[in-house]
Amino acid sequence: MFYFSVPLGKLVRRVSRLRGGGSALPGLVVERIDPGFMRRTLSTVPHGVAVVSGTNGKTTTTKMVVELLESQGLKVFTNRTGSNFTRGVAAALIGEVDWRGRLDADVAVLELDEAHAVHFVNQVPPRYSLLLNVLRDQLDRFGEIDKTAQLLQHIAAKTTGTVVLNREDPRVARIAESLKAAALTGPGVLYFGLDDSLLSTFPNDDEMRAAPGSPVPPAPAKPHADVVLRRVGAADADFEYDGVTATTAMKLRGVYNIFNAAAALTLARAIAVKDTVPGETAAADNAGLLKALSQVAPAFGRGESLVVDGLPLDLVLVKNPSGFRLGLKSFPAEGYATMIAINDNYADGRDMSWLWDVEFDTLRAVGVEQLSGSRAYDMALRLQYDDVPIRAVDTEIAPALAAFISGANDKPKRIFCTYTAMLAIRRELSKITTVEVVS
């Protein structure tokens, strides 16, 4: 059947691009005039829909899952721009379907904002879901983190096949208990996890907020994890699965990305099980998955490394205390010129009080060359309390970036930035260097 919403959405998409508009606008139009578009289109995908959600790491983890599945010969549809509201998914679909609304894909892997994922799964129940973590983020939108956990629990309850959970995050791991009541008809559960030696690197939200020296409650017995991250090296990592520990090279940088790789492997192994004869299956090609994992590069703005004047410039997305802490830990300041750009637009979260939950002492010795963004002076005040020297402050990103590049032209550079600041910085950098176009 021909639906008028598809050609109209494609027209809006083309006009929006010509005018430099946002990638989600065509999706917003299609959602309004054809509410059944996503359900109708995605219901035809043979391997179903996989939803990736949680506070941190959605974009990079989704990218990993997509590339792992593609290495297994599957055609994968995804919302590659990181526009993770339902209208972003609809916009991505408009770009991929033909004029009759048909999607040529074997599986759909979708990154979804926690709140918008609830609306999505009500329309399109996923066959798989991967739930990464629950940390304080955008308190103006979500409230406290128990509310976020409830959103993820709803996603799990709507999943028809397999739910993949982070066993090291107690609020995520407890979601399994809510699924037990529906054990006969509900989804199966798989876990990804960490070696005990790495647990201190990834504190959960309660541990981050605990006072120094406060008693630590005994940890409950852990469930078996399908994939466990055993070791993180400078350029490789060890993963354990099926009783075997395998070492693989990694292009991804940042310890948080390597942990998310364990999550991606778990989901990809679940999806990529090969059908043989009816009622029988063969295991996924683990060697092929690990080889593909070794080739995955960072998602745009998530540890992405560009070249400016012959030197590297790294972009590190920060949007909550955990993400900023792990970013500072994963990317040492020594030898780099540092810029921080903090915006408080809707997509960033309007409440910037979380900056006070991050320790910036690692920047004390080298200082920060440039602060920018709409909340640059809030960032300046926070750094002042940690005795971090600041060279310059300019709330306008374009001139601040130009000053940062010219003032530190003999050093590699690193920019910690919130989401909309990162998009603005990439636009400016595209004028002077090669920047991957994400559409």
Side-chain angles (χ1 to χ4, degrees):
M1 182 182 294
F2 181 81
Y3 290 88
F4 178 70
S5 57
V6 174
L8 178 60
K10 287 183 175 291
L11 176 62
V12 173
R13 185 172 185 266
R14 181 172 298 179
V15 172
S16 177
R17 286 187 164 200
L18 291 174
R19 293 173 59 88
S23 61
L25 178 60
L28 182 60
V29 172
V30 171
E31 278 189 323
R32 292 284 178 85
I33 65 174
D34 186 1
F37 169 70
M38 282 193 299
R39 174 190 284 274
R40 186 174 64 246
T41 305
L42 292 172
S43 65
T44 65
V45 178
H47 287 263
V49 174
V51 167
V52 179
S53 195
T55 308
N56 282 358
K58 295 183 288 292
T59 299
T60 300
T61 304
T62 300
K63 185 176 190 290
M64 283 190 274
V65 174
V66 168
E67 295 188 27
L68 293 179
L69 294 178
E70 288 177 341
S71 77
Q72 303 294 293
L74 294 174
K75 293 181 181 178
V76 185
F77 165 74
T78 188
N79 50 333
R80 188 167 174 267
T81 65
S83 181
N84 56 23
F85 292 1
T86 54
R87 58 180 177 266
V89 175
L93 276 172
I94 282 293
E96 293 294 326
V97 298
D98 63 18
W99 289 94
R100 291 184 174 274
R102 295 173 298 195
L103 179 65
D104 182 19
D106 298 311
V107 62
V109 180
L110 305 175
E111 169 196 351
L112 284 168
D113 166 270
E114 300 93 298
H116 283 261
V118 169
H119 299 297
F120 176 86
V121 300
N122 287 338
Q123 299 177 54
V124 185
R127 186 175 301 176
Y128 306 92
S129 60
L130 167 56
L131 307 179
L132 295 168
N133 41 56
V134 176
L135 298 158
R136 277 180 301 146
D137 182 43
Q138 299 191 42
L139 299 181
D140 52 298
R141 288 185 59 216
F142 296 118
E144 282 300 330
I145 61 174
D146 289 327
K147 172 62 177 176
T148 307
Q150 291 173 8
L151 298 175
L152 297 187
Q153 181 176 320
H154 183 83
I155 298 167
K158 288 289 186 178
T159 303
T160 62
T162 301
V163 176
V164 178
L165 301 176
N166 177 357
R167 79 170 184 189
E168 314 303 348
D169 187 314
R171 287 179 174 81
V172 173
R174 281 199 294 268
I175 290 173
E177 298 174 9
S178 70
L179 300 175
K180 287 180 180 178
L184 295 178
T185 58
V189 176
L190 295 174
Y191 296 90
F192 64 98
L194 288 169
D195 188 88
D196 287 348
S197 64
L198 296 173
L199 289 175
S200 62
T201 303
F202 298 90
N204 60 55
D205 195 83
D206 293 336
E207 291 167 341
M208 282 198 300
R209 297 169 67 183
S214 58
V216 178
K222 291 183 181 181
H224 170 76
D226 185 70
V227 176
V228 177
L229 174 61
R230 290 296 183 193
R231 182 189 63 87
V232 178
D236 64 359
D238 292 349
F239 297 94
E240 181 184 322
Y241 55 86
D242 299 339
V244 175
T245 298
T247 301
T248 183
M250 298 292 295
K251 286 185 177 179
L252 291 168
R253 303 169 65 202
V255 290
Y256 49 88
N257 281 332
I258 311 303
F259 185 29
N260 290 336
L265 271 173
T266 305
L267 178 58
R269 277 162 49 89
I271 297 174
V273 168
K274 301 291 192 302
D275 292 324
T276 51
V277 298
E280 296 183 15
T281 58
D285 172 17
N286 292 304
L289 290 173
L290 285 175
K291 182 178 180 181
L293 183 63
S294 72
Q295 298 301 311
V296 178
F300 72 102
R302 280 80 170 176
E304 178 183 25
S305 189
L306 308 173
V307 177
V308 176
D309 296 333
L311 293 168
L313 186 154
D314 299 337
L315 294 177
V316 183
L317 178 70
V318 295
K319 65 190 189 77
N320 54 42
S322 175
F324 214 148
R325 285 185 180 193
L326 286 171
L328 291 168
K329 185 172 185 175
S330 298
F331 301 95
E334 187 176 353
Y336 278 75
T338 300
M339 174 175 170
I340 302 176
I342 305 295
N343 276 352
D344 64 348
N345 297 316
Y346 178 76
D348 307 298
R350 304 307 303 273
D351 184 348
M352 288 291 123
S353 62
W354 62 266
L355 292 172
W356 293 89
D357 295 321
V358 183
E359 296 173 352
F360 294 96
D361 52 291
T362 57
L363 299 175
R364 192 174 296 150
V366 297
V368 173
E369 297 293 329
Q370 184 75 54
L371 296 178
S372 190
S374 58
R375 300 297 284 269
Y377 284 99
D378 296 74
M379 189 72 248
L381 179 62
R382 176 67 192 92
L383 292 177
Q384 190 175 38
Y385 272 79
D386 272 1
D387 297 320
V388 177
I390 303 163
R391 312 289 191 270
V393 180
D394 187 339
T395 57
E396 296 297 323
I397 286 178
L401 179 63
F404 174 62
I405 291 172
S406 63
N409 58 8
D410 60 338
K411 285 184 177 181
K413 301 165 187 66
R414 182 170 296 123
I415 304 176
F416 296 95
C417 44
T418 57
Y419 182 71
T420 64
M422 179 263 291
L423 295 179
I425 288 166
R426 289 182 95 254
R427 282 195 298 269
E428 292 301 315
L429 289 173
S430 69
K431 301 173 184 177
I432 59 173
T433 191
T434 301
V435 176
E436 180 190 8
V437 177
V438 181
S439 60

